[in-house]
Amino acid sequence: MRTLIRGGMVWDERGGTPADVRIAEGKIVEMGELRPHAGETVLDAGGLDLLPGLIDVHVHAGDRIGSWELADSWESAARAALATGVTTLAGFVTQRPGETLTAAVQRCVSRAAGAGCEVRFHLTPTVWPWPWEEVTALVGRGFTTFKLYTTYREAGLYTPYERLAEVMPPLAALGARLLVHCEDDALLPDPRTLGLDLGDPLTHTRLRPAAAEVEAVRRVIELVASSGCPTHVVHVSTPAAAELLVAARRSGLPVSCETAPHYLFLNDASLSRPDGHRLLCAPPLRPEGSRERLEKLVAGGAFDLLATDHCAFRRADKDAWSGRDLRTVPGGIAGVGALVPLAFELLARHHRPLCELVRLLAAGPARLLGIFPRKGVLAPGADADLVALEVAGTPRPVVSTLADAWDPWAGRTTTLAFRYVLVRGLTVCPIKTPAPS
């Protein structure tokens, strides 16, 4: 199958260039001023912007967290993503008790088999010591990113800094990358000693204070300096933590970071609404002043990428709490279908060009996953994952999930119109996206 996309403006991290794009056998084979070949499909992209297929590297779907089944399967998460130009998702393999890491990978990969886009995975071994023979084999199979947590002791996910220090050098030697959820467990207060009102969702911000994130980031940066292990800090929610990471990167350390749309558009006042428990997540939403500073840091180029931490639970599960203990509410919110509209809105607000959207949602994520330049750029030899975008279309609703989950972005609109979305050269959009129930 051969396709020629004509008349578009092709964008990469440096800027935009008018060019036609020829696709054959799922790859980009030629770019420039091109004439149609006999028998090939021609798509008119006149007046449209052409971007690489976009990537969300932080998605929870097709799995269980604690006692709750996630609302989104990989198929439903992919449909919401593809409708907004996101053609690659990355999720998480968390090893279960009695399960080998290889079996955990197979379990999660098989659950993602029905997705309409590429799904990659970060691995979380939960046994100690790590099964290094398995880890080495899995890295050889392309599983090059590993995620650990400096909190969640009761869930069995907590990794003390001493263990981080042990795994980082061998990961670096394998050419792998470490992702870290940074909240210092020792700085999370015990609510029994503080007399906190656990019936108030705003109390969540006191249970998981900004200082815990900042301290964990500081400690992780020290470990990167001693080990040389490429390390990525996920869902940064505080400007102080982001500034530490920017300084570390400028000093030459192999660190990168992401933040999520909910830390850029929502603040902790939302937790005081009658439905505030539906917005509980970790790290929690921060005060408005913190949100404003974080937004300015994104606009100034402080972050390597944006990702959603999409973690949608069923409406009934979110609302099942008694109103007495917020810790019984599953933590996480939807976001995958809102990533591109919200990122575009924020960058447009600060007069940033489309090349910045490509950096944050395509090239940066592809580098993190180790798949650049196969993905993340439009160039000969790259996968033909492509988005033809109209930036000033008729306003339409932002829909972050198609599952039975509360949508934190309900009521927002976007002017982005996704005229074509291609995955490996096959047109998957425009598609009919059902309205959320």
Side-chain angles (χ1 to χ4, degrees), residues 87-377:
T87 58
T88 300
L89 301 174
F92 300 89
V93 173
T94 303
Q95 185 180 13
R96 293 175 177 175
E99 183 180 48
T100 68
L101 188 58
T102 302
V105 168
Q106 182 56 43
R107 167 174 54 82
C108 294
V109 168
S110 64
R111 296 195 75 170
C117 64
E118 181 162 336
V119 179
R120 302 187 67 85
F121 287 98
H122 315 293
L123 311 187
T124 300
T126 58
V127 298
W128 187 258
W130 275 20
W132 283 104
E133 187 174 338
E134 269 191 289
V135 167
T136 301
L138 288 165
V139 170
R141 288 171 52 188
F143 296 92
T144 59
T145 50
F146 293 76
K147 184 187 180 186
L148 295 176
Y149 304 74
T150 62
T151 184
Y152 294 142
R153 191 184 300 265
E154 292 183 359
L157 297 175
Y158 169 68
T159 302
Y161 299 112
E162 294 76 16
R163 287 189 182 179
L164 285 177
E166 286 191 46
V167 303
M168 290 171 81
L171 280 179
L174 288 173
R177 184 182 300 271
L178 181 65
L179 282 63
V180 187
H181 173 130
C182 282
E183 289 181 287
D184 189 288
D185 204 64
L187 293 184
L188 302 183
D190 184 342
R192 295 172 297 181
T193 63
L194 296 181
L196 298 177
D197 179 6
L198 294 176
D200 180 0
L202 187 60
T203 298
H204 189 54
T205 63
R206 297 186 63 186
L207 294 177
R208 312 196 81 88
E213 178 178 272
V214 175
E215 175 61 13
V217 166
R218 185 189 69 80
R219 294 287 298 272
V220 166
I221 289 171
E222 290 178 347
L223 295 173
V224 174
S226 61
S227 68
C229 181
T231 300
H232 178 79
V233 178
V234 299
H235 51 49
V236 174
S237 68
T238 63
E243 288 161 355
L244 285 175
L245 289 158
V246 169
R249 188 174 60 211
R250 287 175 178 168
S251 73
L253 293 182
V255 295
S256 57
C257 60
E258 70 187 53
T259 190
H262 46 277
Y263 300 120
L264 300 171
F265 285 85
L266 303 175
N267 60 39
D268 61 2
S270 303
L271 300 176
S272 296
R273 299 180 340 202
D275 62 349
H277 64 281
R278 296 172 184 165
L279 296 175
L280 291 175
C281 57
L285 302 179
R286 302 300 186 188
E288 176 60 15
S290 178
R291 186 210 65 77
E292 288 179 346
R293 286 176 60 198
L294 204 67
E295 176 180 337
K296 291 177 181 177
L297 284 166
V298 170
F303 285 88
D304 300 272
L305 59 99
L306 300 178
T308 59
D309 193 9
H310 176 88
C311 190
F313 292 94
R314 296 188 179 105
R315 300 183 197 201
D317 290 337
K318 272 286 192 180
D319 286 352
W321 77 310
S322 64
R324 292 192 295 270
D325 191 341
L326 61 88
R327 294 171 299 176
T328 64
V329 180
I333 61 177
V336 70
L339 174 63
V340 182
L342 294 177
F344 174 80
E345 180 181 334
L346 185 146
L347 294 172
R349 185 186 303 160
H350 292 270
H351 310 290
R352 304 298 296 151
L354 275 178
C355 57
E356 188 68 0
L357 191 76
V358 173
R359 182 182 74 83
L360 290 170
L361 299 187
R367 289 191 178 96
L368 176 76
L369 297 174
I371 55 176
F372 185 90
R374 179 170 69 85
K375 294 186 186 293
V377 65

